[in-house]
Amino acid sequence: MSDALANQIAAGEVIQRPASVVKELVENSVDAGADEITVNIKDAGRTLVQVIDNGCGMSAADARMSFERHATSKIYTSDDLFCICTKGFRGEALASIAAVAEVELKTRREEDAIGTQVVINGSQFMGQNPVSTPAGTNFSVKNLFFNVPARRKFLKANSTELQHIVSEFQRIVLTHPSISFSLYHNGNIIYNLPQSTLKQRIVNVFGKNLNQELIPVEIDTSIVKISGFTGKPAASKKRSDKEFFFVNSRFMKSQYFHKAVALAYENLVRPDCIPPYFLYFEVDPHSIDVNVHPTKTEINFENASDIFRLLQAGIRETLSKSDVAPAIDFDSESDDIDVPYFSKDAPMPPMPKVSFNPFYNPFDNDSDSGSRSSSHSSMPYPSAPMPERERHNLDNWDRLYNDGIMHDDGATLADVSSSFAPKVENRLIQIKNKYIVSPSKSGIMVIDQRRAHKRVLYQQYIEKVDVNADAVQTLLYPVVLNLDVQSFAMAFDIRDEFQVVGFDMEFNEDNSIVIKGIPPYLSPDSATEVVNDIIDSYKEGHGNVSTSIKDILAIAAANREVIPYGKSLTPEEMRQLIDSLFATNAPNFSPEGEPVIVIIGMDEIEKRFTNS
Ligand code: ADP
Ligand code: MG
């Protein structure tokens, strides 16, 4: 095989689009020790990619050599292959670029009086001449893929190719804040990034708004050091283009570690949103394997699961320290206030039977149940106004009464209280049969009962979807869904995923689907809607198909059972709902992302009183 052909094949792997050229050339400039790098692009890189640096430059001989395959000056032993401290390491980037473009190199070392120029077109050496040029290196790559029309045709719209270039550029500049970079497209400046701190670099790349939104991260352990910045929850976005991991100064894509960050933000941001993050890992180079992917953005870690945990816990801690995580704890500090409440584990003062009437209702003036006035005056604790905790329990008193549990006047307080869980429950009030209100550490907590319940059900179903994967509920009347070509193709594409979760579907040539069976926990009425939702979500293409299918199913199942607004809840029911809500992993949001809990802070309450 000729070298030219070998290079062209190699180029297929290394050079996929103009952005790959930008990446390889700029990384070489970084490796050459430059502290100023300029990138000029014309026509999204089709016509020209030019990279100029003030790095170490090359001798005339090295300049000629640099286009040979495996001409790297950077690998000395095979051990170096694992220990990648420089950017390029295979010594084939320049050879590959030169195989599929017209390349002109001008370079000069500081110590040389005159520089050298090399021209190569499609692997063909065109000539080398002395040239007067500033110290450093200047590569011009023209007419990319001029000799591989198929590849040239394969390039996307200019805007897309430019977007790829910008992404590659960002990945590099975010790891080298001490180098100044500029990027031009058709003579217009896109980025002009002076040497700066990392934070300043991030802000210079992504805009001033980020300045207020970044929290520094510093996680220092024996297996990994993680530094950088993570966004405040308020900065979260549905689809963020500001999620960056770097490992030993190299950009890394990782759904896995993304998940760790997402988990750290759980409850703090809407489940489908994520704040920007810029996280830099430092690990022992021997503990990673960067060769799993030809373009090297995916990296295998020896200690991946440990790092996952460290990352999640570290970010979580960073957030809690920085005070951006709202405190949603119930108010437990003021539990020892002076009003006795009915808890079986709280010591009760001995009470004369006649002097206390649990059916007393301060709001019910017509009530003649019990000897109100006498009990009132002889209560062993302040009697007016009615103690707050008792008021909360009035509903339950009624229920107990109506249920006939309390018919016997001889029932003791301890008997009554046995049906009450202590503390929290006794402080829950339902308003408008819609919200549950409770004091909380920082003020008043208001919980939307329906959304809370939905979150609880969702959590139960999401686990069921996994477990009962192959149970099917056969429909008495199969449902026919007529789809457009695209939706049908999409649905067909994920037919296995449908089947796994319990759908029995028939795909017909006329783009219709017959739904014959659905997962057992779905209502037959919702079959069409759920299937459509699943297809839509696949169309929109967020994330993993089977995860989003499970999500949609669990939401549909939860919606089927969720309690309506307008349902009055007993204190015990409220307590159970709230207990289960806080046992879920995202109590702050309904599965659809609506807020479940609102906290009205003390300052807000106090403001209301002072302003009036
Ligand atoms: P690699 O970067 O893997 O070594 P390349 O094909 O990218 O392989 O580059 C080949 C060699 O050319 C490098 O090892 C380096 O010696 C030299 N070189 C490339 N670009 C520059 C530059 N901007 N400044 C100085 N030397 C360079
Ligand atoms: Mg290189």
Side-chain angles (χ1 to χ4, degrees), residues 199-503:
K199 184 171 180 190
Q200 200 53 50
R201 172 60 53 93
I202 294 171
V203 169
N204 286 338
V205 173
F206 292 107
K208 279 202 210 69
N209 290 346
L210 263 189
N211 207 7
Q212 304 305 315
E213 295 180 339
L214 298 178
I215 307 167
V217 174
E218 210 54 68
I219 302 168
D220 199 343
T221 71
S222 57
I223 59 166
V224 64
K225 274 188 196 180
I226 303 172
S227 60
F229 295 89
T230 196
K232 293 182 179 168
S236 67
K237 294 265 157 51
K238 204 155 188 168
R239 241 171 279 172
S240 173
D241 49 354
K242 306 183 191 70
E243 294 151 17
F244 289 88
F245 289 119
F246 301 94
V247 178
N248 299 352
S249 294
R250 176 181 287 276
F251 173 79
M252 160 180 79
K253 244 186 215 153
S254 173
Q255 276 308 310
Y256 182 65
F257 291 130
H258 175 85
K259 179 82 186 156
V261 176
L263 282 173
Y265 278 94
E266 196 154 51
N267 305 349
L268 298 177
V269 302
R270 288 174 49 140
D272 53 346
C273 290
I274 188 96
Y277 58 78
F278 306 88
L279 297 169
Y280 297 74
F281 294 28
E282 267 173 67
V283 295
D284 176 355
H286 292 97
S287 74
I288 55 175
D289 173 7
V290 292
N291 288 323
V292 288
H293 196 271
T295 51
K296 294 175 283 172
T297 58
E298 277 141 37
I299 296 180
N300 279 344
F301 285 73
E302 216 170 82
N303 308 309
S305 62
D306 293 334
I307 297 177
F308 184 101
R309 278 190 292 274
L310 291 167
L311 176 62
Q312 184 192 348
I315 299 282
R316 191 79 195 178
E317 195 187 322
T318 303
L319 293 174
S320 68
K321 275 197 202 132
S322 74
D323 208 29
V324 290
I328 54 163
D329 308 297
F330 285 91
D331 180 9
S332 53
E333 275 151 22
S334 48
D335 268 332
D336 48 329
I337 49 174
D338 49 8
V339 186
Y341 58 93
F342 311 118
S343 163
K344 61 179 164 190
D345 33 54
M348 296 300 295
M351 252 177 271
K353 218 160 64 180
V354 288
S355 69
F356 180 76
N357 173 15
F359 303 107
Y360 168 72
N361 182 344
F363 305 116
D364 179 5
N365 289 329
D366 302 329
S367 163
D368 60 353
S369 62
S371 48
R372 183 167 49 201
S373 48
S374 69
S375 70
H376 221 120
S377 54
S378 55
M379 283 216 279
Y381 40 80
S383 52
M386 184 73 171
E388 194 189 10
R389 287 163 199 279
E390 282 177 69
R391 245 185 277 140
H392 293 189
N393 292 331
L394 287 173
D395 281 353
N396 210 37
W397 290 122
D398 289 340
R399 183 174 65 89
L400 290 172
Y401 183 64
N402 295 332
D403 288 348
I405 298 169
M406 284 287 292
H407 279 297
D408 181 3
D409 270 358
T412 63
L413 262 172
D415 293 332
V416 177
S417 64
S418 66
S419 64
F420 285 80
K423 300 178 189 180
V424 169
E425 175 196 357
N426 292 317
R427 296 153 159 269
L428 300 176
I429 322 171
Q430 190 186 24
I431 42 179
K432 295 272 182 198
N433 289 339
K434 186 172 181 191
Y435 299 111
I436 300 168
V437 177
S438 165
S440 82
K441 242 183 196 128
S442 43
I444 299 173
M445 174 161 52
V446 185
I447 295 172
D448 181 308
Q449 67 183 42
R450 184 177 151 86
R451 292 179 185 176
H453 192 217
K454 215 189 267 187
R455 166 54 69 186
V456 171
L457 292 168
Y458 170 85
Q459 185 85 24
Q460 290 165 2
Y461 277 111
I462 202 93
E463 281 151 26
K464 263 194 209 160
V465 173
D466 265 338
V467 178
N468 296 352
D470 39 29
V472 179
Q473 169 191 181
T474 303
L475 293 181
L476 214 50
Y477 305 103
V479 182
V480 181
L481 249 185
N482 290 304
L483 297 171
D484 59 82
V485 185
Q486 193 205 0
S487 303
F488 181 84
M490 293 270 174
F492 190 72
D493 212 28
I494 53 172
R495 60 194 181 282
D496 291 346
E497 281 83 354
F498 271 116
Q499 200 210 323
V500 158
V501 293
F503 282 97

Side-chain angles (χ1 to χ4, degrees), residues 51 67 82 126 131 138 148 326 403 465:
V51 176
F67 292 98
F82 296 98
M126 308 301 283
V131 68
N138 180 337
V148 202
D403 288 348
V465 173

Side-chain angles (χ1 to χ4, degrees), residues 34 154 178 188 221 230 254 275 306 340 366 380 385 395 428 483 500 508 513 518 526 554 560 570 599:
F154 177 76
S178 60
N188 302 316
T221 71
T230 196
S254 173
D306 293 334
D366 302 329
D395 281 353
L428 300 176
L483 297 171
V500 158
N508 295 327
I513 297 177
I518 59 175
S526 65
R560 183 187 184 187
T570 65
I599 303 229

